[in-house]
Amino acid sequence: QVQLVESGGGAVKSGGSLRLSCTVSGLTFNDANMAWFREIPGGEREGVAAIFSNGKVRHVDYADDVDGRFTISRHNIETIVYLEMKNLKPDDTAMYYCATSPRRARPPSLRRRDYNNWGQGIQVTVSS
C-alpha cells in the first residue's frame, strides 16, 4: 500500500535553510492531498504545508507561522514531495512528518484527521 519515506532533516543554525523530501510509493490517485506536519514532545501534530495537484492546477496552503518562509512542491515524474524551509527559527525545531490523504480538497487540508498515511518522521533542529 502507500509508503512514505522522509529525508533531508538535520541541524541548522537560526536563519539557515533545509529541504525535506518525501518519497511516496503506492499512491493510486496523484491528486490526493499531501502535506507536511510537525510535532514537538508533549505537543500536537500540526499541519505545516499542504498541496493539491491534478496536472492542470496546483493549490497549496500553509500554517500562518511558516507562510512566506516554507514552500511545498511536488516532483513532476516521481511522487516526491518537498518542503523548502528558509529563515529557520528555533521554534521550527520539531519532528516533521509527511502524509497523504484520501481527500482531494482545494485548498488542501492541514487537518491531521484528514490524513491516513504517514511517514516515520524526520528531526529538524534549529539552534540559536
Side-chain angles (χ1 to χ4, degrees):
Q1 198 51 49
V2 178
Q3 294 183 337
L4 302 88
V5 180
E6 301 102 334
S7 62
V12 66
K13 293 182 178 180
S14 181
S17 301
L18 285 172
R19 184 179 73 167
L20 305 183
S21 299
C22 175
T23 301
V24 183
S25 62
L27 190 65
T28 301
F29 303 102
N30 63 5
D31 57 350
N33 284 181
M34 306 177 74
W36 288 94
F37 289 72
R38 66 186 181 187
E39 182 178 338
I40 61 174
E44 300 287 339
R45 187 173 297 187
E46 301 178 338
V48 175
I51 186 167
F52 167 93
S53 178
N54 64 4
K56 296 182 179 180
V57 64
R58 181 171 296 179
H59 297 275
V60 297
D61 197 19
Y62 298 96
D64 289 343
D65 59 348
V66 308
D67 197 8
R69 299 187 297 120
F70 290 10
T71 302
I72 188 170
S73 62
R74 279 191 61 177
H75 195 280
N76 289 330
I77 300 175
E78 301 290 336
T79 307
I80 304 175
V81 184
Y82 301 100
L83 185 67
E84 295 278 357
M85 304 183 292
K86 299 180 179 179
N87 193 24
L88 283 161
K89 305 174 181 179
D91 285 347
D92 295 318
T93 295
M95 186 75 72
Y96 283 71
Y97 297 87
C98 183
T100 67
S101 172
R103 292 180 167 83
R104 288 173 279 275
R106 311 181 198 182
S109 174
L110 286 169
R111 298 179 299 178
R112 181 184 180 181
R113 61 181 175 270
D114 288 339
Y115 290 81
N116 63 347
N117 294 294
W118 298 87
Q120 292 299 306
I122 189 163
Q123 181 68 36
V124 171
T125 302
V126 184
S127 63
S128 60

